[in-house]
Amino acid sequence: MSGHTGQIILRSWSAAPDPTQAISEIADGIGGRKLALLCLFLSPEYARPEFAAAATQAFPDTLIIGCTTAGEITPAGMRDNSVVAVAFSAENFSVSATCIDPEEAPDQLAGKVLDLIAAEQGNPATLPHRFAFLLNDGLARHEDRVISAVSPSLGDIAHFGGSAGDGLEFSETRLLWDGAFHKNISILTLVRSRLPIQVFRIENFSPGPTRMVVTEADPAARVVSRINDEPAAEEYARLIGNSTSQLSPFHFASHPVLVQAGGDYHVRAIQKIEENGEIRFFSAVDQGLVLTMAERHDLLHHLEESLARIVDGRRPEAMIGFDCVLRKIEITSSQRVAEMSDLMRRYRVLGFNTYGEQHGAMHVNQTFTGVAIFADEDGDA
């Protein structure tokens, strides 16, 4: 176990296999501070009732949320089979949250957001900065519906999000809410901060010259059957100069496709190839959509440049980051995990690897999204 306790954002992590011991180590790392929020991003192995019960007992009267991951971003860098805790001190933050049922009508979802904003207790004079983030079930395929209903009601409140993961199993994801683990929900959290914040999105791709048209698809299932009126997997493999039998998550990470929306390009990442040759994506892809093959830029170099621009000479108290599992696959395949971990530590990034990300009203993939929280100029951090 390793932990670090700051004054404003408190952080800790554990790789203890026993859920109760893991929570005990998390609590020791955070200490007895009064918290406005405790976020727990955890390997799927921890998603058991005893873990939730131990967390509730160790942090009474604390709002606790969390989700399973495809990898954790801890104070020690990138890890698997661990749990990372990110805690917001009560004297510097005011936090409220609500559980969202994706099956509710859009106007009901929008009403929940407005109720949450109306009920927030933070004093704008002492806590002038606001942001929101959304945790989704990464296998329920409801992100687009929830985001489209929730985002307009947030108005000018900067917001981002991430979808719970399950390692590379793609079998079962869970969210932690009200002392128990759940499927098929979302959690919207609204934060007021004494410290300046900046919500960000980073992706290391630009549009290339190769275009393709989706000629048969099931957007609800996130499945594409035909591209350029050819079997989808065969056509994708041909365009990247490979064979269908050789396609793997490494190829999906290295050769994503982009869609253009609102004058900007966004990644539509591939989850897997089905046995019948269909392509399953991490987000909805409509029939008739034009996809652009992306050109990749070095992930680590691009990330370091992007983080430096976000910080712009300021000192981050923490960055809460949701990073796509395909970016992790690329880093792991190129044997650069140690470099990535060092970069995350230097910029004080905490978070997890996701099955999908959100930036504003957009559900995106193969992206690193989050919020930078900056220390006071006088050095109080």
Side-chain angles (χ1 to χ4, degrees), residues 124-166:
T126 57
L127 302 170
H129 308 285
R130 287 194 298 180
F131 67 92
F133 65 95
L134 192 67
L135 297 179
N136 293 297
D137 185 328
L139 293 177
R141 299 197 294 270
H142 63 232
E143 292 101 327
D144 297 280
R145 186 175 190 275
V146 171
I147 291 167
S148 65
V150 164
S151 188
S153 298
L154 287 169
D156 61 357
I157 301 173
H159 51 288
F160 66 101
S163 298
D166 179 33

Side-chain angles (χ1 to χ4, degrees), residues 17-297:
D18 177 71
T20 303
Q21 182 185 350
I23 286 295
S24 177
E25 292 182 357
I26 291 289
D28 288 344
I30 289 177
R33 293 284 295 278
K34 184 176 173 144
L35 304 178
L37 173 68
L38 175 66
C39 299
L40 296 170
F41 304 126
L42 50 125
S43 175
E45 289 78 9
Y46 290 105
R48 292 183 264 166
E50 54 265 39
F51 181 94
T56 301
Q57 183 176 359
F59 297 95
D61 304 317
T62 298
L63 174 60
I64 303 173
I65 64 170
C67 66
T68 58
T69 77
E72 301 79 52
I73 307 172
T74 78
M78 296 175 65
R79 291 293 185 273
D80 290 301
N81 305 315
S82 68
V83 53
V84 59
V86 185
F88 294 74
S89 59
E91 61 267 38
N92 294 287
F93 299 93
S94 171
V95 180
S96 53
T98 187
C99 180
I100 291 174
D101 178 357
E103 301 304 321
E104 290 184 280
D107 60 336
Q108 291 177 301
L109 297 181
K112 273 195 168 181
V113 180
L114 295 175
D115 289 344
L116 187 67
I117 295 172
E120 68 171 340
Q121 300 297 311
N123 185 341
T126 57
L127 302 170
H129 308 285
R130 287 194 298 180
F131 67 92
F133 65 95
L134 192 67
L135 297 179
N136 293 297
D137 185 328
L139 293 177
R141 299 197 294 270
H142 63 232
E143 292 101 327
D144 297 280
R145 186 175 190 275
V146 171
I147 291 167
S148 65
V150 164
S151 188
S153 298
L154 287 169
D156 61 357
I157 301 173
H159 51 288
F160 66 101
S163 298
D166 179 33
L168 292 177
E169 296 300 318
F170 302 103
S171 176
E172 189 172 79
T173 52
R174 290 283 191 270
L175 280 82
L176 179 60
W177 172 258
D178 195 24
F181 287 100
H182 305 268
K183 291 197 301 184
N184 199 35
I185 65 167
S186 294
I187 302 170
L188 177 65
T189 305
L190 181 62
V191 181
R192 270 200 179 274
S193 170
R194 180 175 65 83
L195 303 179
I197 62 97
Q198 182 176 334
V199 169
F200 61 83
R201 186 189 84 192
I202 298 170
E203 50 194 18
N204 62 315
F205 298 100
S206 58
T210 302
R211 305 284 197 276
M212 65 200 87
V213 179
V214 176
T215 46
E216 186 176 335
D218 181 352
R222 299 180 178 177
V223 166
V224 171
S225 303
R226 299 184 72 82
I227 294 173
N228 296 337
D229 208 25
E230 299 289 341
E234 291 182 16
E235 182 68 357
Y236 172 79
R238 183 188 71 81
L239 290 170
I240 68 171
N242 217 304
S243 66
T244 307
S245 62
Q246 293 177 318
L247 291 178
S248 70
F250 173 77
H251 295 99
F252 310 151
S254 302
H255 302 282
V257 296
L258 308 175
V259 297
Q260 190 172 20
D264 200 3
Y265 283 88
H266 308 276
V267 177
R268 284 292 179 265
I270 296 171
Q271 178 181 329
K272 63 179 179 178
I273 304 297
E274 301 289 358
E275 291 183 2
N276 62 3
E278 295 177 332
I279 299 177
R280 186 176 296 277
F281 284 79
F282 277 105
S283 51
V285 176
D286 291 315
Q287 188 166 310
L289 195 66
V290 176
L291 303 177
T292 299
M293 194 68 74
E295 292 187 345
R296 182 177 56 162
H297 309 288

Side-chain angles (χ1 to χ4, degrees), residues 271-333:
Q271 178 181 329
K272 63 179 179 178
I273 304 297
E274 301 289 358
E275 291 183 2
N276 62 3
E278 295 177 332
I279 299 177
R280 186 176 296 277
F281 284 79
F282 277 105
S283 51
V285 176
D286 291 315
Q287 188 166 310
L289 195 66
V290 176
L291 303 177
T292 299
M293 194 68 74
E295 292 187 345
R296 182 177 56 162
H297 309 288
D298 182 81
L299 193 155
L300 275 176
H301 180 71
H302 182 270
L303 178 60
E304 185 156 22
E305 285 188 337
S306 300
L307 291 175
R309 281 195 298 271
I310 292 167
V311 170
D312 192 24
R314 295 172 290 179
R315 186 162 61 94
E317 165 66 15
M319 290 187 173
I320 315 301
F322 303 156
D323 200 18
C324 181
V325 63
L326 289 176
R327 289 168 57 90
K328 176 188 174 183
I329 288 172
E330 180 178 345
I331 288 296
T332 303
S333 300

